[in-house]
């Protein structure tokens, strides 16, 4: 997108602006939407420039690359430690590294749940979720598009939309209902050489197209015109869904961007200090040397100076150096680095082996427990938008004759994130046996211990393998006391 970037003050990034309009949904038409677009496009442009800046930081375009020095300009190391990349990549892998699963709520419509998961795999949704999460964590929001498919083996198509080209306009009422969503595509008229943008606006009833001049961001009066007419939205829903990371649309990078700059500065200055110490300046006391003599001195590695007996002063040569204490700078660096990880919800990798701590204590102390709690919050934010997408997907499936989904509703589906559940495996297994002996229902017991992402499926498979009485057998008399199984029969 060829918008005017301008300069971004990294200390004034406070999340993306939400686009609101006071217009009533029943009043949406070609003219009113064009008027609303004139009002919201400046805010979208502001969001766009901030997103573009944050993407640059993620890729490594950070403040340290413009570092300058007033003294000894020839020694100016620029060490870029791309912690922004590390934070985003950890979040992507930790929360979205394993595919999201849709599991059934209750015991009905199991076949349709399986079919829905199959459709999602045919759309490569796990990969698209991972890519969407990159936009999500960098810019604070992400966008997904869903449309009916022309292929017989999948009823719908899912696409990730570029957040710099996509936006949703919400009602300013208390419910903040989406009014319409837009996608901006850059176009070129090769006959005239004109560059322009085509905005496709989707309401629940119609699809409208507008033309926008390329340099609209430089104009005080935005000119927008309707082109291509109006067509019916056969889906009956807005096919563009916004996935906000949090209420403020705050990306994870902007939370720690000043700390990222400080860490780069410390590392760069540390390297500068080492190089300046190695290349310390020579100071001649009561001795004179010309440029030619200095070059011979450097080449030979030694010098012969004479004292000025007439003036009663002794000649001397010293190295001018003032070395930083790297121990002290490491303390500062470690404090900033740990604070950055804590704010971002990323665990720190410990290089110290602790034999006294239990496994759970290490998980808490190194930040893995905190990271898991932050991930649960991210899941809740994701699920709200995901349900909107599922509602559209199921509506498309029910309308398509070849689809095998006809009765499934969003309320029948539970969205499960499949992170690693094997930590503290022994403790969880012991808890499961104790719940069994306490005569807790199997579906409740399996869900409580958190060993499996889809506990209902595990219960069904266990029952199918062992029979209806699998939860009632002689092991019911075994009680775990201090980690030891004791038979009470």
């Amino acid at each position: 997108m060829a918008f005017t970037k301008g300069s971004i003050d990294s200390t004034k990034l406070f999340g993306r602006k939400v686009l609101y309009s006071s217009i009533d949904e029943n009043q949406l038409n070609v003219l009113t939407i064009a008027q609303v677009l004139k009002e919201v496009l400046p805010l979208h442009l502001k969001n766009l420039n901030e997103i573009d800046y944050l993407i640059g930081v993620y890729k490594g375009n950070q403040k340290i690359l413009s570092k300058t020095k007033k003294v000894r300009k020839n020694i100016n190391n620029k060490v870029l430690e791309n912690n922004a990349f590390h934070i985003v990549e950890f979040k992507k892998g930790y929360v979205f590294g394993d595919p999201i699963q849709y599991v059934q709520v209750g015991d009905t419509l199991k076949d349709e749940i399986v079919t829905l998961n199959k459709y999602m795999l045919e759309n490569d949704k796990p990969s698209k979720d991972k890519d969407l999460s990159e936009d999500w964590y960098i810019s604070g929001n992400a966008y997904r598009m869903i449309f009916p498919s022309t292929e017989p083996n999948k009823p719908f198509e899912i696409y990730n939309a570029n957040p710099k080209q996509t936006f949703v306009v919400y009602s300013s009422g208390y419910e903040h209902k989406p009014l319409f969503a837009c996608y901006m595509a850059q176009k070129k008229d090769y006959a005239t050489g004109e560059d322009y943008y085509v905005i496709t606006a989707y309401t629940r009833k119609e699809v409208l197209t507008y033309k926008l001049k390329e340099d609209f961001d430089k104009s005080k009066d935005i000119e927008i015109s309707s082109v291509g007419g109006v067509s019916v939205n056969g889906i009956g829903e807005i096919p563009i869904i916004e996935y906000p990371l949090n209420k403020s649309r705050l990306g994870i990078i902007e939370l720690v961007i000043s700390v990222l700059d400080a860490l780069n500065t410390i590392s760069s200055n540390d390297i500068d200090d080492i190089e300046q110490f190695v290349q310390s300046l020579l100071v001649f006391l009561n001795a004179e040397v010309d440029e030619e003599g200095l070059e011979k001195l450097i080449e030979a590695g030694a010098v012969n100076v004479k004292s000025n007996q007439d003036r009663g002063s002794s000649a001397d040569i010293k190295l001018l150096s003032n070395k930083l204490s790297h121990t002290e700078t490491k303390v500062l660096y470690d404090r900033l680095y740990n604070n950055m990880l804590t704010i971002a919800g990323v665990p720190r990798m410990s290089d110290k082996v602790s034999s006294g701590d239990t496994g759970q204590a290490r998980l808490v102390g190194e930040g893995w427990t905190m990271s898991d709690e932050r991930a649960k919050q991210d899941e809740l934010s994701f699920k709200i938008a995901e349900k909107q997408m599922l509602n559209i997907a199921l509506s498309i499936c029910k309308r398509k004759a070849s689809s095998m989904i006809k009765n499934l509703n969003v309320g029948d589906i539970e969205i499960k994130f499949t992170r690693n559940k094997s930590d503290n495996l022994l403790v969880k297994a012991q808890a499961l046996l104790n719940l069994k002996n306490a005569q807790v229902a199997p579906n409740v017991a399996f869900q409580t211990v958190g060993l499996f992402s889809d506990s209902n499926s595990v219960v069904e498979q266990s029952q199918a393998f062992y029979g209806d009485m699998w939860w009632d057998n002689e092991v019911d008399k075994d009680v775990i006391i201090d980690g030891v199984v004791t038979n009470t029969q």
Side-chain angles (χ1 to χ4, degrees):
M1 302 297 287
F3 295 110
T4 300
K5 300 293 187 298
S7 59
I8 299 293
D9 186 350
S10 61
T11 63
K12 296 181 179 179
L13 292 174
F14 305 109
R16 314 290 74 76
K17 297 292 184 182
V18 184
L19 309 184
Y20 291 114
S21 175
S22 59
I23 192 171
D24 189 86
E25 187 175 17
N26 296 325
Q27 298 175 326
L28 293 176
N29 56 48
V30 174
L31 296 177
T32 56
I33 290 177
Q35 185 60 40
V36 173
L37 286 174
K38 291 181 180 181
E39 296 173 358
V40 301
L41 277 172
L43 284 178
H44 172 64
L45 177 63
K46 182 179 184 297
N47 288 341
L48 183 155
N49 288 334
E50 292 178 353
I51 292 171
D52 195 61
Y53 175 80
L54 292 170
I55 291 175
V57 173
Y58 165 78
K59 292 180 177 180
N61 185 12
Q62 299 179 19
K63 188 177 179 180
I64 193 64
L65 298 180
S66 59
K67 170 176 171 266
T68 59
K69 282 186 64 182
K70 294 182 179 180
V71 180
R72 302 197 71 180
K73 298 179 181 180
N74 61 311
I75 299 178
N76 185 21
N77 294 281
K78 300 172 184 178
V79 180
L80 174 61
E81 298 180 354
N82 200 344
N83 289 301
F85 180 85
H86 164 64
I87 291 171
V88 172
E89 291 302 300
F90 171 81
K91 289 287 189 176
K92 286 168 55 180
Y94 191 64
V95 182
F96 294 91
D98 293 316
I100 295 172
Q101 294 180 352
Y102 302 124
V103 300
Q104 63 183 353
V105 177
D107 299 326
T108 60
L109 303 173
K110 177 182 177 182
D111 292 339
E112 293 196 3
I113 287 281
V114 173
T115 302
L116 178 62
N117 281 304
K118 177 186 174 186
Y119 288 156
M120 293 300 176
L121 287 176
E122 288 173 349
N123 271 283
D124 295 320
K125 188 171 180 291
S127 297
K128 292 177 181 178
D129 283 339
K130 177 183 68 68
D131 293 338
L132 182 137
S133 70
E134 184 174 309
D135 294 332
W136 207 40
Y137 285 116
I138 291 174
S139 61
N141 58 5
Y143 297 89
R144 174 161 282 163
M145 307 172 74
I146 178 168
F147 297 101
S149 173
T150 57
E151 298 181 26
N153 61 329
K154 55 181 178 180
F156 52 83
E157 296 275 1
I158 295 176
Y159 304 94
N160 292 339
N162 189 333
K164 295 191 293 182
Q165 299 175 253
T166 318
F167 59 89
V168 177
V169 179
Y170 297 90
S171 168
S172 57
Y174 70 92
E175 57 185 354
H176 299 315
K177 186 178 181 180
L179 294 173
F180 63 91
C182 295
Y183 183 81
M184 299 178 64
Q186 189 174 12
K187 301 289 185 178
K188 185 179 183 69
D189 188 335
Y190 287 95
T192 62
E194 179 190 10
D195 293 316
Y196 61 96
Y197 298 96
V198 171
I199 301 178
T200 305
Y202 298 90
T203 70
R204 287 177 173 80
K205 298 178 180 179
E206 298 174 325
V207 181
L208 308 96
T209 308
Y210 298 89
K211 181 179 178 181
L212 182 67
K213 288 186 176 181
E214 183 197 24
D215 58 349
F216 81 93
D217 55 315
K218 302 175 184 177
S219 173
K220 294 181 180 179
D221 185 18
I222 298 174
E223 295 183 14
I224 184 168
S225 57
S226 175
V227 294
V230 179
S231 59
V232 176
N233 182 358
I235 303 176
E237 294 288 345
I238 300 174
I240 298 178
I241 303 100
E242 181 179 15
Y243 284 69
L245 178 59
N246 46 58
K247 184 178 179 180
S248 300
R249 273 77 169 171
L250 271 166
I252 198 168
I253 293 176
E254 58 196 297
L255 295 174
V256 294
I257 196 165
S258 60
V259 182
L260 297 175
D261 292 336
L263 293 173
N264 287 335
T265 300
I266 291 174
S267 296
S268 299
N269 288 342
D270 252 4
I271 301 299
D272 284 348
D273 181 63
I274 294 172
E275 189 172 348
Q276 287 171 168
F277 180 76
V278 173
Q279 301 182 26
S280 298
L281 296 174
L282 285 172
V283 178
F284 293 84
L285 301 176
N286 300 316
E288 295 181 358
V289 62
D290 56 17
E291 186 175 348
E292 183 180 353
L294 181 60
E295 291 178 354
K296 291 181 178 179
L297 159 65
I298 295 174
E299 182 179 353
V303 65
N304 181 21
V305 296
K306 296 181 180 180
S307 298
N308 193 331
Q309 300 296 334
D310 296 337
R311 298 181 181 178
S313 57
S314 300
D316 194 9
I317 298 177
K318 296 183 180 295
L319 284 174
L320 181 62
S321 64
N322 187 16
K323 197 170 186 302
L324 287 174
S325 171
H326 293 286
T327 302
E328 294 178 2
T329 57
K330 186 179 185 306
V331 172
L332 175 60
Y333 181 95
D334 289 345
R335 178 169 67 85
L336 290 174
Y337 185 76
N338 289 332
N339 286 343
M340 176 197 68
L341 295 181
T342 301
I343 293 170
V346 175
R348 61 180 182 271
M349 304 303 295
S350 177
D351 55 357
K352 297 179 181 178
V353 179
S354 176
S355 58
D357 292 340
T358 63
Q360 184 62 31
R362 284 196 297 272
L363 290 174
V364 173
E366 295 174 8
W368 286 98
T369 301
M370 173 198 63
S371 298
D372 194 61
E373 295 302 316
R374 293 284 190 88
K376 290 177 182 178
Q377 293 184 47
D378 295 345
E379 290 176 11
L380 293 176
S381 298
F382 189 88
K383 286 178 180 179
I384 294 175
E386 188 77 349
K387 287 181 179 179
Q388 297 178 34
M389 188 275 296
L390 284 174
N391 186 54
I392 300 174
L394 294 177
S395 177
I396 294 173
C397 288
K398 292 174 182 177
R399 288 185 177 136
K400 191 163 187 176
S402 61
S403 169
M404 300 175 61
I405 297 177
K406 299 301 179 183
N407 301 304
L408 190 63
N409 296 311
V410 175
D412 302 318
I413 303 170
E414 185 174 358
I415 304 167
K416 284 287 188 179
F417 285 75
T418 54
R419 287 196 304 281
N420 181 22
K421 302 288 184 179
S422 63
D423 57 284
N424 289 323
L425 179 61
L426 179 60
V427 174
K428 292 178 180 178
Q430 290 177 341
L432 181 61
L433 285 175
N434 284 335
L435 289 172
K436 180 186 178 192
N437 289 308
Q439 297 183 339
V440 176
N443 57 331
V444 176
F446 275 75
Q447 186 174 8
T448 300
V449 298
L451 264 175
F452 310 100
S453 297
D454 188 356
S455 57
N456 290 333
S457 176
V458 175
V459 171
E460 288 184 1
Q461 292 179 42
S462 301
Q463 188 173 5
F465 187 81
Y466 291 105
D468 292 337
M469 303 301 292
W470 70 281
W471 199 246
D472 298 318
N473 53 41
E474 66 276 3
V475 184
D476 288 341
K477 302 300 182 181
D478 293 341
V479 179
I480 297 178
I481 303 175
D482 296 331
V484 178
V485 178
T486 304
N487 192 285
T488 57
Q489 287 184 328

